[in-house]
Amino acid sequence: MSLFTEKYNIHTHSFYCGHGSGTIAEYVRHGQENGLGLIGFSEHCPFEDGFLYRSRMSFERMKDYERDVLSQREEASIPVLLGYECDYFPRYRDYFSSLKDSGRVDYLITGTHFIIRKDGTRVSPFSDRLSEEDVLCYRDQMAEAIQSGLFSFIAHPDLYMAGFSQWNETMQKVAKEIITLAMEYSLPLEINANGFLKPEVDGRPPYPYEPFWQLAGRMGARAILSTDAHKVANLTRNKDRLEAFAAKCNVNLIRPAFKNGQLEWDS
Ligand SMILES: [Zn+2]
Ligand SMILES: [Zn+2]
């Protein structure tokens, strides 16, 4: 098993998202100084209709963000990738698909930060206690995102356990279904260190959630490591802890490479 976690981070935010800080130039410089061989920016993707506007830049701001990342790429001594982290809902499929095909971005990732219930109300694993039904809804949304074929990896697939306390039969079934589907679609799952920096839930970090990753390890799923930094100082923070966590769960880690304009994996 190769652990190259200190060499890349492809889930990175900046001041553009509105709840993070640091310029693109500052992240690139910090990454270079701390030995990264690859950095990818994945700002929360805005929607033209303003959906989820509180947690992301405005739609109009996308061109500034994209120009900024591309101009840093010119200056940098390491590959600098341009991407977005997308909250996927089927009604935005065409939007994400045309963004992916536009030639403007190198990659898109998906993360489920919001659960839209059948009655239209919205909850988040970050801030709400979820019901079993909410978690099933999370699973369905994630399944649709995976099946869309638009994304390069799945950010914090275990996030639902931040909002749910028992690793009961339903939670285990949801984990198994998400992991199985990701494997079927050859999509890496991401172990995300940002949860180490958040307030504990039931005496443990909200994520990564160990039983989920123990299961992923047993199932042979492929995974990558990210810091999901929202501050420059967090770009390479907790990498050791992340590596130790992955090793403990026996997760099969793979490495990203940027070849011929494509984000690829080494296995
Ligand atoms: Zn964020
Ligand atoms: Zn993120």
Side-chain angles (χ1 to χ4, degrees):
M1 183 165 60
S2 309
L3 296 172
F4 278 80
T5 175
E6 72 286 353
K7 303 284 189 200
Y8 70 89
N9 195 66
I10 50 177
H11 184 167
T12 316
H13 297 274
S14 69
F15 79 98
Y16 278 102
C17 67
H19 56 272
S21 60
T23 64
I24 301 294
E26 287 168 339
Y27 281 91
V28 172
R29 196 182 320 125
H30 189 79
Q32 290 176 161
E33 285 168 6
N34 285 274
L36 289 191
L38 177 69
I39 184 169
F41 289 90
S42 54
E43 271 305 3
H44 299 284
C45 191
F47 299 90
E48 195 166 12
D49 60 10
F51 183 55
L52 303 177
Y53 71 95
R54 283 180 200 274
S55 58
R56 57 210 64 216
M57 72 179 99
S58 70
F59 186 76
E60 291 69 34
R61 198 91 162 103
M62 290 172 89
K63 55 182 182 314
D64 298 330
Y65 161 66
E66 292 171 17
R67 202 181 298 129
D68 200 350
V69 174
L70 295 179
S71 92
Q72 291 309 316
R73 169 185 293 179
E74 300 294 309
E75 312 284 317
S77 59
I78 58 173
V80 176
L81 308 191
L82 171 57
Y84 284 101
E85 178 177 19
C86 306
D87 283 86
Y88 181 84
F89 294 94
R91 68 179 186 277
Y92 294 108
R93 193 192 191 290
D94 290 348
Y95 166 58
F96 289 132
S97 171
S98 57
L99 179 60
K100 187 177 160 69
D101 295 340
S102 65
R104 282 159 51 197
V105 297
D106 299 312
Y107 69 114
L108 299 177
I109 68 175
T110 188
T112 301
H113 303 87
F114 298 96
I115 297 160
I116 312 280
R117 292 171 166 151
K118 286 195 182 85
D119 66 4
T121 55
R122 189 192 300 166
V123 285
S124 170
F126 285 115
S127 49
D128 298 301
R129 274 283 164 186
L130 306 179
S131 66
E132 281 205 15
E133 202 170 325
D134 292 332
V135 175
L136 295 176
C137 204
Y138 173 99
R139 173 206 60 193
D140 292 345
Q141 285 180 211
M142 186 154 279
E144 283 167 334
I146 295 170
Q147 288 163 333
S148 76
L150 295 169
F151 304 109
S152 294
F153 65 88
I154 303 158
H156 42 62
D158 51 337
L159 184 63
Y160 67 96
M161 285 308 299
F164 200 89
S165 54
Q166 298 121 31
W167 184 236
N168 65 20
E169 213 174 296
T170 309
M171 300 306 117
Q172 293 174 41
K173 189 167 165 276
V174 165
K176 202 171 177 182
E177 286 169 353
I178 291 173
I179 296 164
T180 302
L181 199 58
M183 291 174 75
E184 235 174 83
Y185 280 77
S186 297
L187 273 194
L189 299 164
E190 175 210 68
I191 310 179
N192 186 303
N194 204 23
F196 290 140
L197 304 176
K198 298 193 183 261
E200 293 200 334
V201 173
D202 304 326
R204 45 121 179 142
Y207 56 95
Y209 186 67
E210 195 175 315
F212 180 99
W213 291 105
Q214 291 281 3
L215 179 64
R218 286 196 299 276
M219 290 174 68
R222 301 180 314 153
I224 64 157
L225 307 177
S226 302
T227 58
D228 192 3
H230 284 70
K231 271 187 200 170
V232 176
N234 293 343
L235 181 60
T236 54
R237 194 166 164 194
N238 277 326
K239 288 284 198 182
D240 292 351
R241 190 169 170 188
L242 210 47
E243 280 188 3
F245 181 91
K248 187 177 176 198
C249 299
N250 221 350
V251 175
N252 173 22
L253 292 180
I254 57 170
R255 294 172 296 167
F258 194 61
K259 287 186 204 153
N260 311 318
Q262 299 267 1
L263 187 56
E264 290 178 9
W265 312 107
D266 69 352
S267 63

